[in-house]
């Protein structure tokens, strides 16, 4: 009996003879034994079928995914706004069958032949496959209530909603179409900023989109910019903050550089709530915070007002 148990043990520890004196090494062994237990805990979590429940990061409630989808990805318990895809967002805003997507097939060109940990080309292919989007924005005319608008909706799931030449070009064409057809522009932003893989070509989009909006504004046409979590850097510093009305979703992080960079540069303590939609509303950058479920109704209200002013001006 003894010999059989010995051979079993020696299999686990290896061929080293001193394994016969376990008591002295025991403490070291127990710590080793503890590590796999952490892994085992993780595998227990995996027992919950994926894609059925989501834990709210704010109130920690477990929400049934179907319920979350029906609630436009807003926590029904505390109102936390989860990220929402561009197509779901468009669906939540426009009247059925009124959205006509523009430039649906436009894709980026790897101008710089960028190579980092992986190439830009492979990144694009990966994200196009995983998201079924061609790039980080979907644009086109559609009807919100009775108003025909030029709508652009960004998607954070495509390379962090970064603005490369495709995002810039699609938005510019959308704004130019709006100027030509005398339509209001509504852009829902979410972005990590300019797309580093395209270097200067992505930075140029800031000027291009801003210039297109300037021509749109010259025609006295309204532009409503909606900032969602997160809207930062190059997008925040160009079209996203050029709206006649700037709205934001509750709790959205909005800023240019990250808080750590600002803190290190200014060597000053940042005020509480810095870079949140609520902070920026109090400081005048944002005109209103609108919960996602109220967004469509509020947009219709603002468009009623803004287009009525223009209609009255045209009659006078
Ligand atoms: Zn919650």
């Amino acid at each position: 009996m003894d010999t059989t148990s010995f051979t079993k043990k020696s299999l686990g520890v290896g061929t080293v003879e001193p394994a016969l004196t376990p008591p002295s090494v025991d403490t070291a062994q127990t710590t080793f034994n503890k590590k796999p237990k952490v892994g085992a805990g993780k595998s227990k979590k995996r027992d919950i079928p994926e894609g059925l429940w989501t834990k709210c990061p704010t109130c920690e409630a477990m929400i049934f995914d179907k319920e979350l989808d029906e609630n436009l990805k807003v926590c029904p318990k505390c109102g936390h706004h989860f990220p929402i895809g561009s197509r779901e967002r468009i669906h939540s805003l426009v009247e059925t069958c009124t959205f006509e997507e523009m430039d649906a097939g436009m894709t980026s060109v790897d101008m710089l032949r960028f190579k980092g940990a992986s190439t830009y080309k492979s990144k694009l292919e990966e994200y196009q496959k995983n998201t079924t989007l061609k790039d980080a924005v979907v644009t086109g005319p559609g009807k919100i209530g009775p108003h025909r608008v030029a709508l652009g909706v960004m998607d954070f799931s495509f390379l962090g909603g970064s603005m490369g030449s495709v995002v810039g070009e699609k938005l510019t064409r959308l704004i130019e179409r709006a100027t030509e057809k005398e339509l209001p522009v509504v852009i829902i932003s979410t972005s990590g900023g300019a797309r580093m893989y395209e270097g200067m070509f992505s930075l140029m989009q800031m000027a291009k989109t801003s210039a297109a909006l300037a021509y749109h504004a010259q025609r006295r046409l309204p532009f409503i910019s909606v900032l969602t979590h997160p809207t930062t850097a190059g997008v925040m510093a160009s079209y996203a903050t050029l709206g006649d009305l700037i709205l934001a979703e509750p709790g959205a992080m909005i800023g240019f550089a990250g808080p750590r960079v600002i803190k290190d540069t200014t060597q000053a303590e940042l005020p509480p709530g810095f870079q949140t939609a609520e902070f920026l509303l109090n400081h005048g950058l944002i005109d209103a915070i609108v919960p996602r479920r109220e967004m469509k109704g509020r947009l219709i209200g603002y468009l009623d007002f803004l287009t009525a002013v223009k209609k009255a001006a045209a009659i006078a």
Side-chain angles (χ1 to χ4, degrees):
M1 283 294 283
D2 257 13
T3 44
T4 47
S5 64
F6 168 76
T7 45
K8 268 184 190 170
K9 266 190 185 172
S10 70
L11 270 176
V13 188
T15 51
V16 194
E17 284 283 325
L20 274 170
T21 51
S24 58
V25 204
D26 204 42
T27 46
Q29 270 193 337
T30 46
T31 50
F32 269 119
N33 284 344
K34 270 180 188 169
K35 275 191 178 171
K37 272 186 187 169
V38 179
K42 269 183 191 167
S43 70
K44 263 187 191 169
K45 266 187 189 171
R46 281 191 211 117
D47 290 345
I48 302 168
E50 268 181 43
L52 272 180
W53 296 88
T54 301
K55 191 178 181 182
C56 173
T58 307
C59 71
E60 302 201 330
M62 292 299 286
I63 316 156
F64 193 36
D65 276 359
K66 195 163 171 274
E67 192 187 359
L68 196 59
D69 286 344
E70 282 166 1
N71 209 33
L72 300 178
K73 297 268 166 76
V74 177
C75 172
K77 305 274 185 327
C78 73
H80 174 85
H81 282 50
F82 287 84
I84 186 170
S86 50
R87 296 195 191 281
E88 289 163 283
R89 170 94 62 181
I90 291 167
H91 184 68
S92 78
L93 292 176
V94 302
E95 306 310 313
T96 316
C97 300
T98 60
F99 184 75
E100 304 152 41
E101 187 173 352
M102 289 167 60
D103 308 308
M106 195 187 286
T107 52
S108 271
V109 177
D110 185 11
M111 295 292 277
L112 305 178
R113 290 179 193 153
F114 188 96
K115 273 184 203 154
S118 57
T119 62
Y120 180 37
K121 200 165 167 273
S122 67
K123 278 267 171 203
L124 282 173
E125 283 166 5
E126 180 193 329
Y127 278 86
Q128 283 169 354
K129 195 175 154 214
N130 293 345
T131 61
T132 68
L133 295 164
K134 293 284 183 201
D135 214 290
V137 74
V138 178
T139 57
K143 273 180 99 174
I144 301 180
H147 300 281
R148 197 168 152 79
V149 301
L151 180 66
V153 178
M154 299 190 72
D155 200 312
F156 199 79
S157 64
F158 194 98
L159 275 168
S162 54
M163 175 171 61
S165 48
V166 169
V167 170
E169 182 63 20
K170 281 175 85 166
L171 285 173
T172 303
R173 288 186 187 192
L174 177 81
I175 299 160
E176 285 175 349
R177 167 85 77 91
T179 310
E180 187 193 321
K181 305 276 182 195
E182 302 214 313
L183 297 176
V185 171
V186 176
I187 298 176
I188 320 275
S189 296
T190 172
S191 178
R195 189 172 296 174
M196 62 164 185
Y197 302 101
E198 294 189 26
M200 189 181 71
F201 296 99
S202 66
L203 295 178
M204 282 162 56
Q205 310 309 317
M206 294 170 67
K208 189 166 80 181
T209 49
S210 302
L213 280 169
Y215 284 116
H216 185 256
Q218 268 182 4
R219 302 284 287 271
R220 301 182 66 80
L221 297 162
F223 166 38
I224 302 177
S225 176
V226 181
L227 315 181
T228 69
H229 180 78
T231 299
T232 59
V235 167
M236 150 87 179
S238 59
Y239 57 85
T241 42
L242 288 174
D244 298 304
L245 266 179
I246 302 174
L247 314 177
E249 284 191 337
M253 201 275 255
I254 296 153
F256 184 67
R260 202 186 311 150
V261 175
I262 297 175
K263 199 178 165 188
D264 287 351
T265 312
T266 59
Q267 296 290 315
E269 275 303 313
L270 300 172
F274 182 67
Q275 289 190 329
T276 58
E278 290 73 11
F279 182 90
L280 294 171
L281 177 73
N282 287 335
H283 289 77
L285 184 90
I286 288 168
D287 297 302
I289 293 177
V290 181
R292 193 175 291 159
R293 288 178 61 78
E294 294 172 26
M295 189 61 80
K296 184 177 175 179
R298 294 277 288 271
L299 280 175
I300 294 171
Y302 293 135
L303 288 164
D304 282 345
F305 177 76
L306 290 166
T307 54
V309 172
K310 183 166 167 59
K311 273 176 202 157
I315 294 162

